[in-house]
Coordinates of all heavy atoms in Angstrom, one line a residue:
V14 N 0.8 -1.1 0.0 CA 0.0 0.1 0.1 C 1.0 1.3 0.0 O 1.9 1.3 0.9 CB -1.0 0.0 1.2 CG1 -1.7 1.2 1.2 CG2 -1.9 -1.2 1.3
S15 N 0.6 2.1 -0.8 CA 1.3 3.4 -0.9 C 0.4 4.6 -0.7 O -0.7 4.6 -1.1 CB 2.2 3.6 -2.1 OG 1.2 3.5 -3.2
I16 N 1.0 5.7 -0.1 CA 0.0 6.8 0.0 C 0.2 7.7 -1.1 O 1.3 8.0 -1.6 CB 0.5 7.6 1.3 CG1 -0.6 8.7 1.6 CG2 1.8 8.2 1.3 CD1 -0.7 9.1 3.0
R17 N -1.0 8.1 -1.7 CA -0.9 8.9 -3.0 C -1.1 10.3 -2.7 O -0.6 11.3 -3.3 CB -2.1 8.5 -3.9 CG -2.0 7.0 -4.5 CD -1.0 6.9 -5.7 NE -1.4 7.8 -6.8 CZ -2.1 7.3 -7.8 NH1 -2.5 6.1 -7.9 NH2 -2.4 8.2 -8.7
M18 N -1.8 10.7 -1.5 CA -2.1 12.1 -1.2 C -2.4 12.0 0.4 O -3.0 11.3 0.8 CB -3.4 12.5 -2.0 CG -3.5 14.0 -1.9 SD -5.0 14.4 -3.0 CE -4.7 13.5 -4.6
E19 N -1.9 13.2 1.0 CA -2.1 13.4 2.3 C -2.9 14.8 2.5 O -2.6 15.7 1.8 CB -0.9 13.4 3.1 CG -0.1 12.1 3.3 CD 1.1 12.1 4.1 OE1 2.1 12.5 3.6 OE2 0.9 11.8 5.4
G20 N -3.7 14.8 3.5 CA -4.6 16.0 3.9 C -5.6 15.7 4.7 O -5.5 14.7 5.5
N21 N -6.7 16.3 4.6 CA -7.8 16.1 5.5 C -8.5 14.6 5.0 O -9.2 14.1 5.8 CB -9.1 17.1 5.2 CG -8.6 18.4 5.9 OD1 -7.9 18.4 7.1 ND2 -8.7 19.6 5.4
I22 N -8.2 14.3 3.7 CA -8.6 13.0 3.3 C -7.3 12.4 2.8 O -6.7 13.0 2.0 CB -9.7 12.9 2.2 CG1 -11.1 13.4 2.8 CG2 -9.8 11.5 1.7 CD1 -12.1 13.5 1.7
N23 N -6.8 11.3 3.4 CA -5.7 10.6 2.7 C -6.2 9.6 1.7 O -7.1 9.0 1.9 CB -4.8 9.8 3.9 CG -4.3 10.8 4.8 OD1 -3.9 11.9 4.5 ND2 -4.0 10.4 6.0
L24 N -5.3 9.5 0.6 CA -5.6 8.5 -0.5 C -4.6 7.6 -0.6 O -3.3 8.0 -0.7 CB -5.8 9.4 -1.8 CG -6.0 8.6 -3.0 CD1 -7.4 7.8 -3.0 CD2 -6.0 9.5 -4.3
Y25 N -4.9 6.4 -0.4 CA -3.9 5.3 -0.5 C -4.3 4.5 -1.7 O -5.3 4.4 -2.3 CB -4.1 4.4 0.6 CG -3.7 5.1 2.0 CD1 -4.9 5.7 2.7 CD2 -2.5 5.1 2.6 CE1 -4.7 6.3 3.9 CE2 -2.3 5.8 3.7 CZ -3.4 6.2 4.4 OH -3.3 6.9 5.6
S26 N -3.3 3.7 -2.2 CA -3.6 2.7 -3.4 C -2.6 1.6 -3.3 O -1.6 1.6 -2.6 CB -3.4 3.5 -4.7 OG -1.9 3.7 -4.9
Y27 N -3.1 0.5 -3.7 CA -2.4 -0.7 -4.0 C -2.6 -1.4 -5.3 O -3.7 -1.2 -5.8 CB -2.5 -1.6 -2.7 CG -3.9 -2.2 -2.6 CD1 -4.1 -3.5 -3.1 CD2 -4.9 -1.7 -1.9 CE1 -5.3 -4.0 -3.0 CE2 -6.1 -2.1 -1.6 CZ -6.3 -3.4 -2.2 OH -7.6 -3.9 -1.9
N28 N -1.8 -2.2 -5.7 CA -2.2 -2.9 -7.1 C -2.1 -4.4 -6.7 O -1.5 -5.0 -5.9 CB -0.9 -2.7 -8.0 CG -0.9 -1.4 -8.6 OD1 -1.9 -0.9 -9.1 ND2 0.2 -0.7 -8.4
F29 N -3.1 -5.1 -7.3 CA -3.1 -6.6 -7.2 C -3.4 -7.2 -8.6 O -3.7 -6.4 -9.5 CB -4.2 -7.0 -6.2 CG -5.7 -6.9 -6.7 CD1 -6.3 -8.0 -7.3 CD2 -6.3 -5.6 -6.4 CE1 -7.5 -7.9 -7.7 CE2 -7.6 -5.4 -6.9 CZ -8.2 -6.6 -7.5
I30 N -3.0 -8.5 -8.7 CA -3.1 -9.1 -9.9 C -4.4 -9.9 -9.8 O -4.6 -10.7 -9.1 CB -1.9 -10.0 -10.2 CG1 -0.6 -9.2 -10.1 CG2 -2.1 -10.8 -11.6 CD1 -0.5 -8.1 -11.2
C31 N -5.2 -9.7 -10.9 CA -6.4 -10.5 -11.0 C -6.2 -11.7 -12.2 O -6.0 -11.3 -13.3 CB -7.5 -9.5 -11.5 SG -9.1 -10.4 -11.4
S32 N -6.2 -12.8 -11.8 CA -5.8 -13.9 -12.7 C -7.2 -14.3 -13.2 O -8.3 -14.6 -12.5 CB -5.1 -15.0 -12.0 OG -3.9 -14.6 -11.6
S33 N -7.0 -14.9 -14.4 CA -8.3 -15.5 -15.1 C -8.3 -17.0 -14.7 O -7.2 -17.5 -14.6 CB -8.1 -15.4 -16.6 OG -8.1 -14.1 -17.2
P34 N -9.5 -17.5 -14.2 CA -9.5 -18.9 -13.8 C -8.9 -19.9 -14.9 O -9.2 -19.6 -16.1 CB -11.0 -19.1 -13.6 CG -11.7 -17.9 -14.1 CD -10.7 -16.9 -14.5
G35 N -8.3 -21.0 -14.5 CA -7.8 -22.0 -15.3 C -6.6 -21.7 -16.0 O -6.1 -22.5 -16.8
H36 N -5.9 -20.5 -15.8 CA -4.6 -20.2 -16.5 C -3.5 -20.4 -15.5 O -3.5 -19.9 -14.4 CB -4.7 -18.8 -17.1 CG -5.5 -18.7 -18.2 ND1 -6.7 -18.3 -18.2 CD2 -5.2 -18.8 -19.5 CE1 -7.4 -18.3 -19.4 NE2 -6.3 -18.5 -20.2
S37 N -2.6 -21.3 -15.9 CA -1.3 -21.3 -15.1 C -0.1 -21.4 -15.9 O 1.0 -21.9 -15.5 CB -1.4 -22.7 -14.4 OG -1.5 -23.8 -15.3
D38 N -0.1 -20.6 -17.0 CA 1.0 -20.6 -18.0 C 1.9 -19.4 -17.6 O 1.9 -18.3 -18.2 CB 0.6 -20.4 -19.4 CG -0.4 -19.4 -19.7 OD1 -1.1 -19.1 -18.7 OD2 -0.4 -18.8 -20.8
F39 N 2.7 -19.4 -16.4 CA 3.5 -18.4 -16.0 C 4.7 -18.2 -16.7 O 5.3 -19.2 -17.0 CB 3.7 -18.5 -14.4 CG 2.6 -18.4 -13.5 CD1 2.0 -19.5 -13.1 CD2 2.1 -17.3 -13.2 CE1 0.8 -19.5 -12.2 CE2 0.9 -17.1 -12.4 CZ 0.4 -18.3 -12.0
G40 N 4.9 -16.8 -17.1 CA 6.1 -16.6 -17.7 C 7.4 -16.2 -17.0 O 7.3 -16.5 -15.7
A41 N 8.3 -15.5 -17.4 CA 9.5 -15.2 -16.6 C 9.2 -14.2 -15.5 O 9.8 -14.2 -14.6 CB 10.5 -14.6 -17.6
T42 N 8.1 -13.4 -15.7 CA 7.7 -12.6 -14.6 C 6.8 -13.0 -13.5 O 6.6 -12.4 -12.6 CB 6.9 -11.2 -15.2 OG1 5.8 -11.8 -15.8 CG2 7.7 -10.6 -16.4
G43 N 6.4 -14.3 -13.7 CA 5.6 -15.0 -12.8 C 4.2 -14.6 -13.1 O 3.2 -14.9 -12.3
M44 N 3.8 -13.9 -14.1 CA 2.5 -13.5 -14.4 C 2.0 -14.2 -15.8 O 3.0 -14.4 -16.7 CB 2.4 -12.0 -14.6 CG 2.4 -11.2 -13.4 SD 2.4 -9.5 -13.8 CE 0.9 -9.2 -14.7
S45 N 0.9 -14.6 -15.9 CA 0.3 -15.3 -17.0 C -0.1 -14.1 -18.0 O -0.2 -13.0 -17.5 CB -0.9 -16.0 -16.7 OG -1.8 -16.1 -17.6
S46 N -0.2 -14.4 -19.2 CA -0.6 -13.3 -20.2 C -1.8 -12.8 -20.0 O -2.3 -11.8 -20.4 CB -0.2 -13.9 -21.6 OG -1.1 -14.9 -21.9
S47 N -2.7 -13.7 -19.3 CA -4.1 -13.2 -19.0 C -4.2 -12.5 -17.7 O -5.4 -12.0 -17.4 CB -5.0 -14.4 -19.1 OG -4.6 -15.3 -18.2
D48 N -3.2 -12.3 -17.0 CA -3.3 -11.6 -15.6 C -3.4 -10.1 -15.8 O -2.7 -9.5 -16.7 CB -2.1 -11.8 -14.7 CG -2.0 -13.3 -14.4 OD1 -3.1 -13.9 -14.3 OD2 -1.0 -13.7 -13.8

């Protein structure tokens, strides 16, 4: 999680990988082409 903006409202963000079901063809990056 990283902070994107601070103030009266703080804005945080994070990234996650959403994998398609049934795919396990991981490449060099550890991610499938459908991720």
Side-chain angles (χ1 to χ4, degrees):
V14 176
S15 62
I16 190 157
R17 296 278 302 264
M18 193 178 312
E19 289 184 276
N21 290 320
I22 296 178
N23 291 334
L24 177 64
Y25 303 89
S26 70
Y27 68 91
N28 290 301
F29 72 95
I30 305 300
C31 188
S32 297
S33 298
H36 286 86
S37 60
D38 55 332
F39 291 101
T42 63
M44 289 177 54
S45 155
S46 60
S47 62
D48 291 343

